[in-house]
């Protein structure tokens, strides 16, 4: 169940658009901010608010990697492995993370601190290889840089 | 107009024509996957790429319109190699498990690859694999995600045509699955249109699974036996067993779509419960006998004149019904003949014939839908006539059009309606009166929905009205139709073009009326010399012992008559009852002689749908056991000497002027609309009698019952089709969510529905936006027969709903 605050915010988002379902992405983000990840029930609730078929809302949610369909840790590490990043060694970056954290693709560390995901192009090819942790971009990655970054994540 | 050259051939088409269509007109086939004429354009599969002179990149012909002077190549080497590459990409992930795929032999991917595909694949990577075993997605759908080519036909047809929006592509790229919301069991309309449009074996029919190979099936094109939309279906049988019903693209008015009844409602024919031998009552018991014994009993014992009567089902063919009325009129010498359907009294049927202008000939639904304003009243059309609902939905997606939908229940089509009007079941006339009042008073400011609707009528120039079968069931139906006639005249006077079409729930209802299954007129609407009795009057007379012989053809009146108790009592008083049917119905159980007839797949003939379109019914299997086709049975009793349906049709042409120009043998999948018959249609204006006003509200029994067909059922016939029973096995009571809340009731809870005389326990369904004070119960079940709530002469039943 979404909180009344979240529902309020979704209604505000709806008001911005000529058609209710245009607010899908906003609404999903609002819900995710509140619940951490999106579940069947939450999607049904949002679809109801947006007066749209639930399957069409799930199409949006499932398409974008920024919407979590499973619980994620405190830090959601999203490594881009698309073309540009891949040419500049993102595979290696991913493996490095995997080894450091002891988890595989899509998994979360047992202390619920880190989740490691592989994502498609994040539109920052010029600074490849890159990744996103929660809402922030980290660019021109190297092993040393990653070790530094991980130290700052408490 | 644009003149273009396609593969060197010059062709002139209208501006805006797609290259694909222009090429087809010029006789060049271009393969397509994502393109479907009636669906929104996607342009994603790139199968239809063509080369346009002067342009470097190939263009998808399904979304590119022609331009004057354009030169297009659809068959050159560049195009051919692009086509082959597109197929190569599709095959990169396709399992190629054709030997175990139900689609093999009629798969578009298989066909295109065979014709224009690569002969080997350069890909050595693993193919994507969602699952090892196919998934059961619903009682009718089995899904193989591995085979999907992502043309999105399934999701689009479900959303844009069916109006359910149950499917979508979930995921991204090659990992996308076309499935339900959470990939869990579908709770949808179960129409199977997603199965039909899927070009590959991804969506598959569960009832047909592993039953046959397409080339082993014997197929015949015929007409759906359920509602009067008159969809074209293709039945496939193997070794005399019906294995599936499918629909062909661009065929019939349904153009490849069907509803669950049409597609999955065929099992009743071979249900094992069919009557296979004639029966005769001896010592109070029905025992099997020979045809000779049964028929000679009828010939000897069936009376003549006033004390005899015949009641027929509107599911029989024109030819059978024509012969039946001949038997009743010429041999039994009576005009006591009527249809079963919804037991309209004779004046309501006549008024319907008048207002819909049956004598003026058929109206194509496609012409009718060209109207700028469409008005529907008296039909839960999404349940009753699903494919008419689809056609209207696609039309109404053009926002320049107005769709006004008036019905007590909120139905699927409401979401496409511009204006939704509500009324209490007994008083559809109120809506009409409101509209007439607004227009007559010359108002132009709308207060409330009825006014808004009236304003739309005022501003319309071309109007189509659909009048539903609910009206036929009302005791005050004549008054409602009179109101509509007033509105029609008013709009006509204002210079508007206006068409009226009926929405009937039995496949051949219009045909039956044309054939003179009516106590007031003969075939071709010729007035009878003496007025006969309608179904209700026949039963009343029977109850008083005034009907000695009754012939019931194909209908279970004891179950279906609204006031089932009365009907049973009345029928029991008939001295000699003959029932000709395919099952041992409640009525048949009471008969003195039972004659086993045939289903629509076991005979030839024609049906006339609600538009007035005559279509061929074709025989595909032989009659079960010793049963016989109905025509030969009737012919034998009457001694008319007809050899075939065509033989009868020749006589129909003589007697029914509007059928005169129809050639039986030339009838194809498009059917033929009946002509106007010119003079000779009796007008009922003067004869039409108003029956009785409906009772006013009763505060102790605040709900008015409305009944009709459920989407998965039709009459009592569909109860014998096991797939349909799987979809819905029991009746329920549906009320508005407001009412449910007030009564403290919740969805799916079992409640007691109680009238003064009868009560039943039913599961509750609540619907947001239905009229308050209305309880809908489908009429399709023997288990709780809604017809027991009806009491003859008391109109719409009033009930209360209480917690169990
Ligand atoms: S069966 Fe009909 S309603 Fe159900 S998903 Fe398929 S197209 Fe949609
Ligand atoms: S399931 Fe069939 S119809 Fe649907 S996208 Fe896949 S191939 Fe097309
Ligand atoms: S809409 Fe009517 S005619 Fe068409 S398939 Fe359904 S029941 Fe049959
Ligand atoms: S490919 Fe990694 S950001 Fe574009
Ligand atoms: S048919 Fe033209 S792109 Fe699919």
């Amino acid at each position: 169940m979404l909180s009344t605050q979240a529902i309020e915010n979704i209604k505000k988002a709806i008001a911005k658009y000529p058609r209710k379902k245009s607010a899908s992405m906003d609404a999903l983000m609002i819900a995710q901010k509140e619940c951490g990840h999106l579940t069947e029930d939450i999607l049904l609730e949002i679809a109801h608010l947006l007066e749209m078929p639930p399957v069409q809302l799930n199409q949006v949610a499932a398409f974008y990697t920024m919407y979590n369909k499973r619980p994620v840790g405190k830090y959601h590490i999203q490594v881009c492995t698309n073309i540009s990043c891949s040419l500049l060694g993102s595979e290696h970056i991913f493996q490095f993370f995997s080894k450091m954290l002891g988890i595989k693709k899509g998994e979360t560390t047992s202390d619920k601190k880190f989740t490691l995901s592989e994502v498609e192009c994040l539109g920052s090819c010029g600074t490849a290889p890159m990744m996103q942790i929660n809402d922030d971009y980290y660019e021109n990655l190297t092993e040393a840089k990653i070790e530094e970054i991980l130290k700052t994540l408490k | 107009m644009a003149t273009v050259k396609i593969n060197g051939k010059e062709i002139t088409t209208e501006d805006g024509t797609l290259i694909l269509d222009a090429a087809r007109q010029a006789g060049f086939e271009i393969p397509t996957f994502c393109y479907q004429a009636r669906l929104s354009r996607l342009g994603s599969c790139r199968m239809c790429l063509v080369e346009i002179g002067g342009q470097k990149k190939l263009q998808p012909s399904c979304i590119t319109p022609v331009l004057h002077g354009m030169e297009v190549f659809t068959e050159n080497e560049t195009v051919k190699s692009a086509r082959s590459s597109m197929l190569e990409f599709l095959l990169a992930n396709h399992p190629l498990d054709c030997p175990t795929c139900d689609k093999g032999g009629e798969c578009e991917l298989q066909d295109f690859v065979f014709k224009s595909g690569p002969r080997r694949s350069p890909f050595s990577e693993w193919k994507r694999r969602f699952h090892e075993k196919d998934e059961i997605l619903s009682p009718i759908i089995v899904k193989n995600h591995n085979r999907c080519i992502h043309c999105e036909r399934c999701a689009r047809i479900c959303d844009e045509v069916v109006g359910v929006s149950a499917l979508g592509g979930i995921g991204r790229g090659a990992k996308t699955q076309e499935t339900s919301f959470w990939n869990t069991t579908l709770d949808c309309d179960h129409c199977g249109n997603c199965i039909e449009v899927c070009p590959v074996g991804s969506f598959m029919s569960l009832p047909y699974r592993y039953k046959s190979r397409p080339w082993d099936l014997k197929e015949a094109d015929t007409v759906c036996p359920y509602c009067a939309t008159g969809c074209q279906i293709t039945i496939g049988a193997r070794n005399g067993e019906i294995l599936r019903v499918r629909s062909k693209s661009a065929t019939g008015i349904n153009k490849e779509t069907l509803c669950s009844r049409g597609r999955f409602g065929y099992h009743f024919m071979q249900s094992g419960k069919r009557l296979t031998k004639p029966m005769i009552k001896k010592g109070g018991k029905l025992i099997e006998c020979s045809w000779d014994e049964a028929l000679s009993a009828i010939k000897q014992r069936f009376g003549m004149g006033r004390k005899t009567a015949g009641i027929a089902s509107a599911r029989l063919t024109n030819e059978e019904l024509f012969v039946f009325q001949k038997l009743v009129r010429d041999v039994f010498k009576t005009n006591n003949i009527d249809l079963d359907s919804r037991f309209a009294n004779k004046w309501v049927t006549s008024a319907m014939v008048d207002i819909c202008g049956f004598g003026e000939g058929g109206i194509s639904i496609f012409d009718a839908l060209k109207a700028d304003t469409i008005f529907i009243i008296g039909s839960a059309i999404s349940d009753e006539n699903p494919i008419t609902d689809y056609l209207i939905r696609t039309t109404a997606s053009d926002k320049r059009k107005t769709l006004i939908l008036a019905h007590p229940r909120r139905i699927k089509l409401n979401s496409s309606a511009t204006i939704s009007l509500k009324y209490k079941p007994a008083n559809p006339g109120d809506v009409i009166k409101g509209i007439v009042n607004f227009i007559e008073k010359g108002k132009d400011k709308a207060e409330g929905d009825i006014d808004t609707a009236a304003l739309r009528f005022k501003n319309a120039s071309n109007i189509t009205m659909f009048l539903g079968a609910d009206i036929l069931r009302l005791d005050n139906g004549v008054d409602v139709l009179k109101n509509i006639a007033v509105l029609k005249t008013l709009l006509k006077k204002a210079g508007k073009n206006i068409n009226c079409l009926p929405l009937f729930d039995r496949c051949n209802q219009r045909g039956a009326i044309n054939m003179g299954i009516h106590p007031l007129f003969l075939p071709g609407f010729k007035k009878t010399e003496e007025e006969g009795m309608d179904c209700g009057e026949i039963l009343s007379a029977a109850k008083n012992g005034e009907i000695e012989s009754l012939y019931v053809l194909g209908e279970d009146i004891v179950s279906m008559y609204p006031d089932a108790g009365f009907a049973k009592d009345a029928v029991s008083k008939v001295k000699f009852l003959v029932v000709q049917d395919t099952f041992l119905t409640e009525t048949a159980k009471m008969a003195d002689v039972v004659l086993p007839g045939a289903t629509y797949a076991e005979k030839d003939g024609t049906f006339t749908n609600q538009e007035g379109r005559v279509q061929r019914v074709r025989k595909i299997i032989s009659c079960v056991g010793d049963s016989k086709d109905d025509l030969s049975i009737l012919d034998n009793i009457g001694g008319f000497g007809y050899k075939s349906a065509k033989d009868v049709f020749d006589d129909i042409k003589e007697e029914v002027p509007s059928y005169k120009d129809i050639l039986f043998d030339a009838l194809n999948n498009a059917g033929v609309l009946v002509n106007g018959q010119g003079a000779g249609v009796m007008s009922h204006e003067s004869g039409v009698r108003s029956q009785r006003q409906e009772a006013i509200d009763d505060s102790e029994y605040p709900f008015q019952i409305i009944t009709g067909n459920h989407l998965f059922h039709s009459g009592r016939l569909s109860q014998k089709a096991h797939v349909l029973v799987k979809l819905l096995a029991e009746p329920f009571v549906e009320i508005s969510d407001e009412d449910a809340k007030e009564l403290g009731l919740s969805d799916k809870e079992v409640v007691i529905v109680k009238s003064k005389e009868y009560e039943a326990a039913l599961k509750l369904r609540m619907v947001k936006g239905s009229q308050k004070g209305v309880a809908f119960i489908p009429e399709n079940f023997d288990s709780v027969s809604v017809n027991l709530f009806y009491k003859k002469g008391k109109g719409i039943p009033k009930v209360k709903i209480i917690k169990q």
Side-chain angles (χ1 to χ4, degrees):
Chain A
M1 283 285 281
L2 292 169
S3 68
T4 40
Q5 184 56 50
I7 292 175
E8 260 329 292
N9 291 344
I10 290 175
K11 284 190 179 151
K12 267 188 219 145
I14 290 174
K16 289 195 287 186
Y17 302 94
R19 289 195 307 167
K20 289 193 168 181
K21 65 174 167 187
S22 308
S24 301
M25 296 191 68
D26 291 9
L28 289 169
M29 206 31 109
I30 293 166
Q32 173 157 313
K33 283 259 144 66
E34 177 166 301
C35 312
H37 74 286
L38 300 171
T39 61
E40 183 177 0
D41 288 341
I42 290 174
L43 259 88
L44 282 173
E45 206 180 336
I46 300 175
H48 187 74
L49 285 169
L50 301 182
E51 288 171 21
M52 69 187 288
V55 70
Q56 292 176 3
L57 185 68
N58 194 19
Q59 283 185 274
V60 178
F63 183 84
Y64 293 101
T65 45
M66 66 188 179
Y67 297 120
N68 304 325
K69 271 70 71 179
R70 272 186 289 176
V72 291
K74 186 169 173 203
Y75 298 106
H76 186 192
I77 302 166
Q78 301 153 66
V79 182
C80 170
T81 54
N82 215 305
I83 290 285
S84 311
C85 293
S86 166
L87 288 172
L88 287 159
S90 63
E91 247 81 335
H92 178 74
I93 302 279
F94 195 90
Q95 287 316 318
F96 184 68
F97 261 120
S98 186
K99 233 180 36 223
M100 279 199 59
L101 301 171
I103 48 175
K104 289 207 274 301
K105 180 173 143 186
E107 290 179 352
T108 303
T109 51
S110 53
D111 59 359
K112 302 251 161 52
K113 204 163 156 199
F114 297 105
T115 299
L116 183 59
S117 299
E118 194 182 19
V119 297
E120 304 299 333
C121 178
L122 291 170
S124 188
C125 312
T127 53
M130 61 81 66
M131 67 172 169
Q132 179 179 349
I133 300 181
N134 294 348
D135 289 339
D136 300 318
Y137 275 16
Y138 296 84
E139 301 160 307
N140 298 317
L141 297 175
T142 59
E143 282 185 16
K145 219 170 171 179
I146 288 171
E147 277 171 353
E148 281 307 306
I149 294 165
L150 280 182
K151 269 186 218 151
T152 65
L153 301 178
K154 289 278 141 43
Chain B
M1 296 304 261
T3 302
V4 291
K5 234 189 210 170
I6 301 178
N7 302 335
K9 190 170 167 187
E10 213 167 77
I11 162 166
T12 304
T13 66
E14 277 183 37
D15 288 325
T17 307
L18 298 170
I19 295 178
L20 179 75
D21 291 330
R24 283 181 181 170
Q25 279 166 34
F28 301 106
E29 238 347 278
I30 298 177
T32 54
F33 281 124
C34 68
Y35 172 82
Q36 285 265 291
R38 65 188 305 174
L39 300 179
S40 58
R41 309 278 178 261
L42 204 59
S44 68
C45 75
R46 306 276 139 169
M47 264 314 284
C48 66
L49 290 176
V50 295
E51 187 174 346
I52 298 173
Q55 295 190 21
K56 271 203 189 126
K57 280 175 80 181
L58 302 184
Q59 299 296 332
S61 60
C62 73
I63 47 169
T64 316
V66 292
L67 282 180
H68 186 72
M70 208 181 228
E71 204 173 346
V72 180
F73 305 92
T74 73
E75 306 281 342
N76 66 15
E77 283 316 308
T78 327
V79 171
K80 279 190 187 159
S81 103
R83 217 171 260 172
S84 169
S85 310
M86 290 327 297
L87 288 163
E88 188 174 307
F89 279 129
L90 289 176
L91 295 183
N93 265 324
H94 195 82
L96 286 174
D97 51 355
C98 308
T100 58
C101 176
D102 266 341
K103 197 77 178 182
E106 52 185 7
C107 169
E108 291 171 43
L109 182 63
Q110 207 177 42
D111 291 350
F112 290 157
V113 170
F114 191 73
K115 206 167 155 218
S116 14
R119 287 295 173 261
R120 60 168 49 107
S121 168
F123 297 107
S124 56
E125 290 79 4
W126 284 94
K127 295 191 177 197
R128 69 166 184 191
R129 199 164 175 83
F130 292 105
H131 47 61
E132 291 293 318
K133 262 194 170 169
D134 294 357
E135 291 174 356
I136 307 273
L137 212 52
S138 86
I140 51 129
I141 298 171
V142 48
K143 183 85 184 25
N144 182 308
H145 294 293
N146 301 332
R147 296 184 190 133
C148 174
I149 59 162
H150 302 295
C151 64
E152 294 265 330
R153 286 186 195 175
C154 52
R156 280 179 294 153
I157 198 142
C158 188
D159 184 42
E160 297 165 16
V161 178
V162 184
V164 171
S165 316
L167 303 172
I170 306 293
R172 188 166 177 162
K175 290 180 197 127
T176 310
Q177 293 191 56
E178 302 291 333
T179 185
S180 59
F181 164 59
W182 213 250
N183 199 21
T184 43
T185 312
L186 275 163
D187 176 16
C188 63
D189 278 8
H190 303 301
C191 60
N193 289 317
C194 47
I195 302 169
E196 193 65 60
V197 296
C198 181
V200 297
S202 188
F203 267 102
M204 291 172 291
S205 159
L206 189 54
Y208 171 66
R209 186 157 174 79
Y210 299 150
K211 285 268 160 47
S212 176
R213 282 296 185 189
W215 55 83
D216 287 328
L217 289 174
K218 186 178 130 208
E219 290 196 318
D221 292 349
T222 184
V223 188
C224 173
Y226 289 109
C227 87
T229 299
C231 296
Q232 281 283 328
I233 58 176
T234 302
I235 300 191
R238 186 179 178 184
N239 302 329
E241 190 191 348
I242 293 177
L243 293 179
R244 73 168 178 191
V245 166
R246 69 177 179 110
S247 44
K248 293 182 181 165
S249 69
T251 299
I253 65 158
N254 48 313
K255 307 247 179 292
E256 201 169 16
T257 58
L258 290 175
C259 73
S260 53
R261 301 190 286 244
R263 199 181 297 283
F264 300 109
Y266 54 87
H267 296 95
F268 72 91
M269 290 183 274
Q270 293 170 326
S271 68
K273 291 189 190 132
R274 286 279 302 276
L275 285 170
T276 55
K277 279 212 159 72
M279 289 193 278
I280 195 158
K281 192 164 268 173
K282 280 187 186 153
K285 262 200 188 141
L286 276 173
I287 48 168
E288 289 182 354
C289 66
S290 70
W291 274 102
D292 276 349
E293 191 179 353
L295 293 175
S296 51
I298 296 171
K299 286 174 194 163
Q300 279 163 23
R301 292 172 60 192
F302 207 94
M304 235 198 253
R306 236 174 259 266
K307 294 196 164 184
T308 62
I311 294 172
S313 156
R315 281 197 213 283
L316 288 131
T317 63
N318 285 322
E319 294 71 19
E320 289 158 349
L321 291 168
F322 180 83
V323 175
F324 182 64
Q325 69 82 33
K326 203 171 154 92
L327 176 70
V328 172
R329 290 198 164 104
D330 295 359
V331 180
F332 304 154
K333 307 266 182 235
T334 178
N335 279 316
N336 297 336
I337 181 167
D338 200 8
L339 278 181
D340 61 291
S341 184
R342 291 207 171 211
F343 309 99
N345 66 56
K346 54 194 174 196
W347 307 110
V348 193
T349 329
S350 309
M352 192 68 135
V353 168
D354 270 357
I355 194 165
C356 292
F358 279 12
E360 290 153 34
I363 305 170
S364 150
I365 180 107
F366 299 108
D367 289 339
L369 292 179
K370 286 185 189 139
D372 50 53
T373 303
I374 298 163
F375 176 60
I376 306 170
I377 187 163
S379 173
I381 182 171
S382 309
D383 277 356
E384 296 282 2
N385 303 89
I387 273 53
T388 315
D389 159 286
Y390 297 176
L391 293 173
I392 295 174
R393 170 170 304 99
T394 18
T395 307
S397 66
D398 178 347
K399 290 299 166 220
R400 290 166 297 183
K401 298 205 182 220
T402 301
L403 171 63
I404 306 169
L405 180 54
H407 199 265
R409 295 172 62 207
R410 187 180 163 89
I411 52 172
K412 199 174 61 181
L413 196 59
N414 279 106
S415 56
S416 304
T418 328
I419 304 167
S420 297
L421 304 174
K422 299 271 171 266
Y423 56 83
K424 283 280 186 84
N427 308 90
D430 292 353
V431 168
I432 309 290
K433 279 188 240 163
I435 295 172
V436 168
N437 186 31
F438 184 92
I439 300 176
E440 271 182 341
K441 295 224 168 103
K443 294 198 218 170
D444 45 24
K445 256 197 78 191
E447 297 159 27
D449 287 344
I450 292 191
D451 286 2
T452 320
L455 206 57
R456 293 280 181 150
F457 274 122
K458 259 182 101 168
N459 297 332
S461 54
N462 193 352
I463 302 167
T464 294
M465 295 194 187
F466 289 96
L467 311 179
D470 285 0
I471 302 173
L472 295 182
R473 184 166 248 189
L474 293 172
D475 282 348
N476 63 354
V478 170
D479 298 310
V480 176
L481 289 172
K482 270 187 178 166
N483 291 327
I484 296 173
V486 171
L487 176 62
K488 197 178 158 188
T489 320
L490 201 63
L491 295 167
K492 255 201 173 141
K493 264 201 210 130
K496 302 179 193 308
N497 180 28
I498 178 160
N499 279 317
C500 276
L501 262 91
L503 292 171
F504 287 144
D505 55 349
R506 295 288 192 273
C507 55
N508 198 28
Q509 199 154 340
R510 183 159 179 165
I513 296 171
N514 287 155
M515 295 307 122
I517 307 290
H518 197 280
L520 299 180
F521 49 79
L522 307 170
F525 306 112
K526 281 170 269 188
K527 197 169 179 241
T528 54
E529 274 172 25
E530 205 186 311
E531 206 176 271
M533 291 192 267
D534 63 30
C535 184
E537 290 166 337
I538 293 169
L539 290 175
S540 296
K543 196 170 173 191
N544 298 333
E546 286 157 16
I547 295 291
E548 284 173 356
S549 307
L550 175 63
Y551 202 123
V552 180
L553 177 59
E555 183 55 43
D556 185 9
I557 38 172
V558 167
S559 305
M560 285 304 284
Y561 192 77
D563 195 344
F566 163 81
K568 186 161 189 179
D569 192 20
V571 170
S572 72
K573 303 244 163 72
V574 173
K575 282 214 190 80
F576 188 62
L577 175 67
V578 179
V579 174
Q580 180 172 330
D581 210 324
T582 47
F583 291 92
L584 193 65
T585 60
E586 290 307 306
T587 315
K589 284 178 192 159
M590 300 169 72
D592 296 283
V593 178
V594 177
L595 305 173
T599 64
Y600 73 109
E602 294 148 7
K603 58 197 177 194
D604 282 301
T606 58
F607 286 157
T608 307
N609 78 351
Q610 59 203 14
E611 313 164 79
R613 191 183 297 273
V614 182
Q615 306 189 95
R616 267 288 259 124
V617 175
R618 289 189 180 82
K619 179 173 167 141
I620 170 132
I621 47 170
S622 35
C623 293
V624 296
D626 282 346
S627 66
K628 282 194 198 311
D629 74 278
D630 299 86
L631 190 61
S632 65
I633 302 172
L634 298 167
D635 182 72
N636 183 310
I637 300 170
F640 305 121
Y642 288 118
K643 298 267 166 333
S644 65
K646 180 166 185 283
D647 236 14
V648 182
F649 199 82
D650 287 339
D651 271 12
I652 293 176
K653 287 165 63 153
E654 296 284 313
E655 307 240 355
V656 188
S658 49
Y659 286 63
K660 199 174 73 211
D661 299 330
I662 300 172
L663 300 173
F664 187 87
D665 286 329
L667 283 172
N668 59 18
N669 304 13
V672 174
L673 288 173
V674 295
N675 284 329
Q677 70 172 60
V681 181
M682 71 174 281
S683 169
H684 307 279
E685 295 289 347
S686 52
V688 170
R689 287 170 219 165
S690 139
Q691 296 290 89
R692 188 182 40 74
Q693 284 308 311
E694 282 291 337
I696 15 164
D697 290 338
D698 178 338
S699 60
E700 202 195 331
Y701 298 93
F703 288 91
Q704 290 187 5
I705 285 192
I706 184 166
T707 185
N709 292 298
H710 184 272
L711 177 62
F712 305 148
H713 289 277
S714 177
R716 295 290 164 95
L717 184 62
S718 54
Q719 279 183 122
K720 281 130 188 152
H722 72 82
V723 175
L724 298 182
V725 173
K726 215 189 264 171
L727 300 180
L728 180 72
E730 293 170 345
F732 55 85
V733 56
E734 175 195 289
I735 61 175
S736 73
D737 60 338
E738 282 176 78
D739 279 329
K741 257 176 228 145
E742 273 174 30
L743 294 169
L745 302 170
S746 47
D747 209 27
K748 301 202 178 90
E749 114 177 59
V750 178
V751 296
I752 306 288
V753 181
K754 190 171 169 23
S755 72
K756 280 198 180 108
E757 295 92 356
Y758 182 69
E759 67 170 67
L762 289 161
K763 250 199 200 142
L764 185 84
R765 285 197 185 177
M766 44 191 249
V767 171
K768 199 175 157 195
S770 279
Q771 166 76 41
K772 280 193 74 183
V774 173
F776 167 73
I777 304 175
E779 66 177 355
N780 313 106
F781 300 92
D782 286 340
S783 54
V784 176
S785 176
V786 65
N787 291 323
L788 290 167
F789 281 104
Y790 286 81
K791 289 292 159 255
K792 189 158 174 65
K794 293 203 174 150
I796 298 265
K798 318 273 185 311
V799 295
K800 59 181 168 189
I801 295 176
I802 39 187
K803 243 188 155 63
Q804 201 184 24

